[in-house]
Amino acid sequence: MESQARGWLLDLYEDEQDGVRLWFILDDHSRICLHWPLPVTFYVFGPPERLHAVCLAVRGAAGLIRQSRAEKTDVFKPEPLSVLRLEMDNPVRQRRLFQQLKQKFPDLIYYDADLGVHIHHAAKHGTFPMALCDLRYDAETGELFNLAVRNERWDIFPLEPPLRVLSIRPDCDPKKKDPVALIFEQAGHGQVLRMREPDRLMERLNTLIRKTDPDLILTEWGDDWLFPLLQTFEEKTNIPLLINRDAQRRLFWRKEVTYFSYGQTIHRGRAAHLFGRCHIDTRNATMWRDYGLDGTLESARVTTLPIEQSARVSSGSGISAMQMITALERGVLVPEQKQQIEAEKNGLALIRADRGGLVYQPKIGLHVDVAQIDFTSMYPAVIINGNISPEIPLPDGLMPTSTELGVVPQTLKPLYEKRVELKFQLAECRDKSTPEAARLRARLSALKWLLVVCFGFLGYKNARFGKIEAHEAVTRGGREALLIAKEVCEAHGFEVLHLFVDALWIRRSGCRHKDDYQQVLIEIAERTKMKINLDGIFRWIAFLPSRGNDAQPVPNRYFGVFQDGALKIRGIESRRGDLPVWVAETQLEMLSCLAKASDARQLPDYLPQAFRIFHAALASLNAGQVPLEQLVLTCRISQELEAYKSRTPVVRAALQLLERTGKRTGAGQKVRFLYTLDDVYAWDQPGYPDPERIDRRRYRELLARAAGSVLYSFGIPQKQLSDYAQGELQFPLMLR
């Protein structure tokens, strides 16, 4: 019986019999699974005799609809390629045949061959997570006849589905001791399930899942503790875990991966994925601390990555997916492995080309009435305006060589425009503390990270559409734009205190209001053809030197207070993730105290109070009143333990964890530890160290460094703070 409905796409995955299974949240709040065929085409390129051998090899292959020759475009080749086209009846059989061919014919080049099912579906039907769709289907068989998407990835305020979200967490950190209960929360209501009896727990858990029928399951330690434990209980009790909406599917595990990105070795643990609903382990989600659920859903929407995948992969994976969809829509081949390499250059040409972003060293010290102006997503704007893409002749500056957008700028343009509009909507919010404003900030953060990595992705060796010369062209355009902005500012009588890649810090006597900067912003925008905005006007801002040399400025190490009292902090201890919470919170409290000064003239009145915050934190440490959890340091292991020649504290902690628990810390993984009088104490082992064995001297020094960053610009050297922290110097006037 044919039916019609409207609903939001929640989940999509391949199936060998059905082609694709799609789960929808209908506008009557019911949930439905439909299936739909999805033929997939991939291509093979090589010498004619080798392609003929492929033709013979695939005869009679399961799922092969037809094979033929075609002329297709590879962005790295000057002329169209004559390729072998293989059309398959569904994604599962396509991937299977591709893997067989790659093993048998490793010398050939494959295109469109290893793409996710969501990419093929998005390119063909315009779908994405939470797409609002009109559906026509058979209500008895679940066969989908037609799907029409009624919204876009780029909608500013999309009509969103009524998601049911269930949160699950243990009653304690499972790495420290065995939890005794699971805590469930949904729509403000909580429930506790005891874990003493596995069979009773499994039955009650299955009942709870059936009753609440969640679309999203948010867990803490779900990937590395909860679901492995529940699978153990399944085997022990013979009670299956009914966690999937799709009753024909079992829990699916994605393997752990380790990769190198932006100078760091990153480890992503294995992940438990569901079918028909989505699971996100908030402690294993890549950017959860930055933008939470709202940002994760926004990222999934614009990249088309499944929600579970969007939460766990890097922003680069999102940009890659978007570029591949653009290529498929344009009929451009997506290489399975990029064949293009960097063009040969002599030393002088390399120096001229590979210079990075422009940096103008800041003037160290405290400055008042300073405005920060910055280009809105400068590098994406350079890519779009300069039409920088591997298949387009590259510009020598900001002006494009072609008006027809290439694959890369065409991908970025709607993403950039959406972020610009969302920034405008946030600026229009009168009350920035509302939930609506918080959601806008989260969505903006997700888009910001996608745009940030799009530039680096151009130079990434494995990027499907990356090209190092294009990467260099972007920085060249960025340098030109920043120099133009500097010239305009100085022509209007402004002193430029600092330049950093896409931002300028400027001041001019008497300029304290937004209107004082409008003319310079208009002129910069006209000359660069790029959006630039006033980030804010600082009451005061402090540019800090290097730790090792007071005369050496550091480009991205500063803090300041805007006219509305908001703090902006870069490069100091409270921005680092490897220092104890106690240190970061004390530093933030000191800065918040100084931020109360309505102008720089009042700062001396608040300095004693800020110093007393430092003193009180020291007193709490010396009295043993700081909880151990707030003293934990978190550091990343960059290589395998055996490769280290010098055993740093984090390496010693990792070895201790291996010795005492058998848990090996691999490259890219993080280790938590405490400094003790003996050495270090690996935090992720059962039990706790003796609080009296904490190395308070080390922690006093860490706090003194953080306080030194705050007080340096007010004439208090960090050496004096360190001496004071260790009881070797007094500041009686500061304590009055």
Side-chain angles (χ1 to χ4, degrees):
M1 180 179 69
E2 184 173 313
S3 298
Q4 295 184 2
R6 172 168 287 192
W8 293 267
L9 178 62
L10 176 67
D11 196 15
L12 176 156
Y13 48 91
E14 61 191 22
D15 184 87
E16 188 166 2
Q17 281 70 46
D18 294 337
V20 177
R21 292 186 182 181
L22 308 98
W23 283 89
F24 293 93
I25 302 173
L26 300 186
D27 53 9
D28 64 0
H29 291 207
S30 62
R31 274 65 177 164
I32 187 173
C33 178
L34 303 175
H35 57 87
W36 203 11
L38 182 65
V40 176
T41 299
F42 72 108
Y43 303 89
V44 189
F45 174 71
E49 64 275 9
R50 297 294 285 162
L51 294 184
H52 180 68
V54 173
C55 291
L56 297 177
V58 300
R59 283 183 180 176
L64 179 64
I65 298 175
R66 68 177 62 87
Q67 53 178 306
S68 58
R69 292 299 180 100
E71 295 287 317
K72 301 290 289 185
T73 299
D74 180 332
V75 297
F76 296 109
K77 301 291 192 298
E79 300 294 335
L81 302 181
S82 177
V83 294
L84 176 63
R85 173 184 175 131
L86 300 174
E87 298 178 59
M88 306 295 295
D89 65 348
N90 73 44
V92 177
R93 295 192 181 109
Q94 180 270 322
R95 186 177 63 253
R96 189 178 297 149
L97 181 59
F98 158 61
Q99 291 170 346
Q100 292 170 356
L101 290 177
K102 188 177 180 182
Q103 186 174 9
K104 190 172 183 179
F105 302 95
D107 55 314
L108 300 180
I109 300 174
Y110 299 88
Y111 295 96
D112 300 0
D114 62 335
L115 312 185
V117 63
H118 61 279
I119 292 175
H120 285 293
H121 205 273
K124 188 172 184 178
H125 300 290
T127 52
F128 53 91
M130 296 166 295
L132 183 61
C133 306
D134 284 335
L135 311 171
R136 190 165 56 84
Y137 61 97
D138 189 317
E140 295 181 358
T141 65
E143 182 180 359
L144 180 62
F145 300 136
N146 187 59
L147 176 153
V149 178
R150 296 306 181 194
N151 60 351
E152 294 184 348
R153 292 185 280 164
W154 318 114
D155 289 349
I156 303 302
F157 295 109
L159 186 61
E160 297 181 340
L163 291 172
R164 295 197 285 254
V165 182
L166 176 67
S167 298
I168 309 176
R169 58 182 172 86
D171 62 345
C172 66
D173 183 343
K175 295 179 179 179
K176 300 299 296 177
K177 62 179 181 179
D178 292 333
V180 298
L182 293 177
I183 301 170
F184 297 79
E185 293 181 6
Q186 187 182 55
H189 300 287
Q191 186 173 346
V192 177
L193 297 186
R194 299 292 174 184
M195 301 178 63
R196 287 192 297 266
E197 303 175 28
D199 53 350
R200 181 169 173 78
L201 172 68
M202 295 295 289
E203 290 173 353
R204 292 185 65 190
L205 178 58
N206 285 337
T207 299
L208 180 64
I209 295 296
R210 282 194 296 267
K211 181 179 178 181
T212 59
D213 192 22
D215 304 304
L216 299 180
I217 297 179
L218 306 181
T219 67
E220 293 186 27
W221 295 287
D223 289 334
D224 61 356
W225 174 78
L226 177 60
F227 281 113
L229 179 69
L230 293 177
Q231 286 189 316
T232 301
F233 286 174
E234 273 189 308
E235 298 172 1
K236 183 176 181 180
T237 64
N238 289 322
I239 300 174
L241 177 64
L242 306 180
I243 198 71
N244 282 308
R245 271 206 179 111
D246 189 335
Q248 298 179 11
R249 298 296 182 109
R250 301 283 292 168
L251 194 69
F252 174 73
W253 289 97
R254 290 194 181 272
K255 296 180 180 179
E256 61 182 0
V257 295
T258 301
Y259 58 95
F260 189 78
S261 176
Y262 289 92
Q264 284 190 328
T265 303
I266 308 296
H267 176 84
R268 190 167 65 239
R270 70 171 186 159
H273 287 250
L274 306 179
F275 296 92
R277 55 173 58 101
C278 306
H279 165 239
I280 300 174
D281 180 346
T282 59
R283 290 180 176 268
N284 196 28
T286 307
M287 302 297 292
W288 194 264
R289 286 187 178 182
D290 282 68
Y291 49 60
L293 180 59
D294 289 316
T296 298
L297 296 179
E298 178 67 27
S299 179
R301 181 182 291 113
V302 299
T303 64
T304 77
L305 292 174
I307 294 171
E308 290 176 306
Q309 191 174 345
S310 176
R312 291 176 170 90
V313 300
S314 67
S315 300
S317 297
I319 286 292
S320 180
M322 295 171 68
Q323 291 177 352
M324 288 189 281
I325 290 169
T326 301
L328 291 179
E329 290 173 340
R330 293 177 57 160
V332 172
L333 294 170
V334 179
E336 184 248 340
Q337 290 185 341
K338 188 178 71 172
Q339 305 296 315
Q340 191 262 353
I341 60 174
E342 182 176 359
E344 184 176 337
K345 302 180 181 74
N346 61 35
L348 184 59
L350 183 62
I351 291 171
R352 287 173 175 170
D354 194 13
R355 293 167 58 191
L358 180 62
V359 176
Y360 184 95
Q361 297 286 27
K363 296 186 177 182
I364 296 171
L366 190 70
H367 307 275
V368 299
D369 296 332
V370 176
Q372 179 181 337
I373 61 176
D374 53 22
F375 289 93
T376 301
S377 298
M378 172 193 267
Y379 283 167
V382 171
I383 292 172
I384 295 165
N385 293 350
N387 197 14
I388 298 175
S389 197
E391 76 276 29
I392 305 292
L394 297 174
D396 185 18
L398 294 172
M399 298 302 296
T401 61
S402 171
T403 56
E404 183 180 352
L405 288 181
V407 169
V408 174
Q410 184 179 344
T411 299
L412 293 181
K413 190 171 187 293
L415 184 66
Y416 173 83
E417 291 173 345
K418 183 173 187 178
R419 181 167 186 258
V420 169
E421 180 60 27
L422 285 177
K423 285 192 74 170
F424 173 78
Q425 294 296 333
L426 181 60
E428 290 294 297
C429 288
R430 293 184 178 180
D431 185 356
K432 300 296 193 294
S433 64
T434 62
E436 291 75 15
R439 294 189 66 192
L440 281 173
R441 281 193 293 271
R443 294 174 61 197
L444 272 168
S445 180
L447 300 184
K448 168 192 169 183
W449 280 109
L450 287 167
L451 289 168
V452 164
V453 303
C454 74
F455 158 68
F457 212 62
L458 266 179
Y460 178 47
K461 63 179 181 179
N462 292 329
R464 312 287 181 116
F465 298 100
K467 184 177 182 180
I468 193 63
E469 288 79 11
H471 180 88
E472 293 165 348
V474 177
T475 59
R476 185 164 59 245
R479 293 193 300 272
E480 181 174 325
L482 204 59
L483 284 174
I484 290 172
K486 179 178 181 291
E487 291 172 3
V488 172
C489 290
E490 291 175 338
H492 283 263
F494 286 94
E495 178 187 8
V496 178
L497 295 174
H498 184 24
L499 301 177
F500 188 70
V501 182
D502 64 349
L504 304 90
W505 287 260
I506 61 176
R507 71 176 178 186
R508 190 178 69 188
S509 179
C511 292
R512 297 186 179 90
H513 305 286
K514 290 183 177 180
D515 292 344
D516 297 327
Y517 300 91
Q518 286 309 304
Q519 189 56 45
V520 75
L521 293 175
I522 291 171
E523 188 171 334
I524 292 172
E526 287 177 348
R527 289 188 57 183
T528 63
K529 310 302 181 191
M530 294 165 62
K531 295 183 183 296
I532 188 166
N533 67 285
L534 178 66
D535 192 55
I537 303 171
F538 291 94
R539 296 176 187 166
W540 53 266
I541 185 171
F543 294 114
L544 301 177
S546 163
R547 287 197 177 282
N549 183 354
D550 285 352
Q552 177 63 47
V554 177
N556 206 28
R557 185 166 141 78
Y558 64 88
F559 59 87
V561 178
F562 287 115
Q563 289 178 336
D564 63 359
L567 278 164
K568 184 160 187 176
I569 304 166
R570 293 293 183 270
I572 62 175
E573 287 73 12
S574 53
R575 292 276 294 183
R576 292 175 54 177
D578 59 346
L579 290 177
V581 171
W582 170 71
V583 172
E585 289 183 349
T586 301
Q587 187 184 64
L588 282 174
E589 191 177 353
M590 294 175 69
L591 288 169
S592 298
C593 171
L594 296 176
K596 295 176 183 177
S598 59
D599 58 47
R601 290 171 297 182
Q602 290 189 1
L603 279 171
D605 299 333
Y606 287 91
L607 279 175
Q609 184 179 339
F611 186 86
R612 286 194 291 272
I613 292 169
F614 168 58
H615 173 81
L618 285 174
S620 296
L621 176 71
N622 293 332
Q625 296 173 349
V626 181
L628 294 180
E629 292 85 353
Q630 294 192 18
L631 297 176
V632 173
L633 295 92
T634 304
C635 297
R636 191 187 303 275
I637 294 289
S638 61
Q639 54 189 340
E640 296 303 323
L641 297 177
E642 292 78 10
Y644 281 92
K645 295 180 180 178
S646 174
R647 293 194 172 185
T648 61
V650 64
V651 173
R652 297 198 300 272
L655 290 170
Q656 184 184 113
L657 193 63
L658 177 62
E659 178 185 347
R660 297 182 182 179
T661 69
K663 179 183 177 182
R664 169 173 284 276
T665 306
Q669 292 182 289
K670 294 180 179 180
V671 179
R672 299 188 292 176
F673 65 94
L674 293 165
Y675 285 119
T676 64
L677 295 175
D678 305 315
D679 184 16
V680 294
Y681 182 89
W683 183 251
D684 292 327
Q685 60 179 304
Y688 298 88
D690 180 359
E692 295 301 318
R693 302 300 298 168
I694 294 298
D695 188 350
R696 293 190 177 95
R697 185 175 185 86
R698 293 288 295 266
Y699 286 101
R700 287 193 291 264
E701 182 60 29
L702 289 176
L703 185 67
R705 290 180 186 176
S709 296
V710 176
L711 300 178
Y712 171 84
S713 296
F714 305 101
I716 304 177
Q718 196 226 291
K719 176 64 168 61
Q720 292 185 8
L721 292 171
S722 296
D723 291 344
Y724 176 83
Q726 305 300 351
E728 299 168 5
L729 183 68
Q730 296 297 316
F731 282 115
L733 293 177
M734 298 295 285
L735 291 173
R736 290 180 182 176

